[in-house]
């Protein structure tokens, strides 16, 4: 088993594509990748190091499969686990609920003993009104906008992976 479990949800494939970029950046041999539509909390529980990725859909809502899984993660003991988050959104069309899904996962995990890393992500360079993914002006994880800023994605991923490398023992 690889030492990092990356769990993503997706409606139209963007968050899966980003998952694959992240895995390539970290190294194929150290990351197992899962679609949350097909997992149980036990799959999550197996990993000491976790990456969770979600788009925001509806009006500031979590992706459907994440909506199903997240409440069930109550059964997972996050003691000793390190978790990093990434979220996708569309800042032009949904500037009042930009990457809210990222914030929804964050606020669920912050109640657990998990060590949350990969936050403090600067909101400079994004143009939006409001986001549940912000704490003290910074995002709680990596934020990507494939609808408007796809050209920035690879550099953002490279920078973020460098940020979490030490926390993930890489
Ligand atoms: C119906 C619909 C609703 C959306 N709602 C939001 C939203 O509330 N906030 C946001 O930041 N992005 C929103 N988006 C943008 C998606 O998060 C974005 O397109 C994302 O890349 C989709 O990822 P996926 O292909 O993995 O499903 C919405 C997109 C669609 C199609």
């Amino acid at each position: 088993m690889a030492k990092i479990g990356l769990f993503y949800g997706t409606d139209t494939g963007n968050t899966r594509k980003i998952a694959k970029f992240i895995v390539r950046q970290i190294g194929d041999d150290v990351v197992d990748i899962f679609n949350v539509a097909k997992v149980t909390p036990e799959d999550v529980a197996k990993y000491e190091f976790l990456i969770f990725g979600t788009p925001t859909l509806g009006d500031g809502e979590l992706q459907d499969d994440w909506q199903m899984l997240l409440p069930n993660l109550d059964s997972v003991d996050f003691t000793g686990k390190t978790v990093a988050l990434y979220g996708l959104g569309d800042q032009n069309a949904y500037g009042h609920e930009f990457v809210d899904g990222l914030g929804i996962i964050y606020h669920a995990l912050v109640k657990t003993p998990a060590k949350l890393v990969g936050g403090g992500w600067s909101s400079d360079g994004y143009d939006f009104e409001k986001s549940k993914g912000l704490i003290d002006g910074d995002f709680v994880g990596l934020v990507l906008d494939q609808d408007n800023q796809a050209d920035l994605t690879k550099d953002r991923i490279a920078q973020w992976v460098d940020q979490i490398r030490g926390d993930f023992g890489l």
Side-chain angles (χ1 to χ4, degrees), residues 8-16 54-61 63 88-91 93-95 97-101 144-147:
Y8 69 87
T10 187
D11 269 22
T12 57
N14 290 337
T15 312
R16 177 189 304 114
T54 188
T56 299
L57 294 160
D59 280 329
E61 286 155 32
Q63 191 268 341
L88 275 74
D90 175 342
Q91 61 201 292
Y94 299 93
E97 50 226 344
F98 181 47
V99 293
D100 277 4
L144 300 169
D145 183 340
Q146 291 301 95
D147 298 284

Side-chain angles (χ1 to χ4, degrees), residues 19 35 45 80 137 156 166:
N35 185 330
R156 284 174 170 164

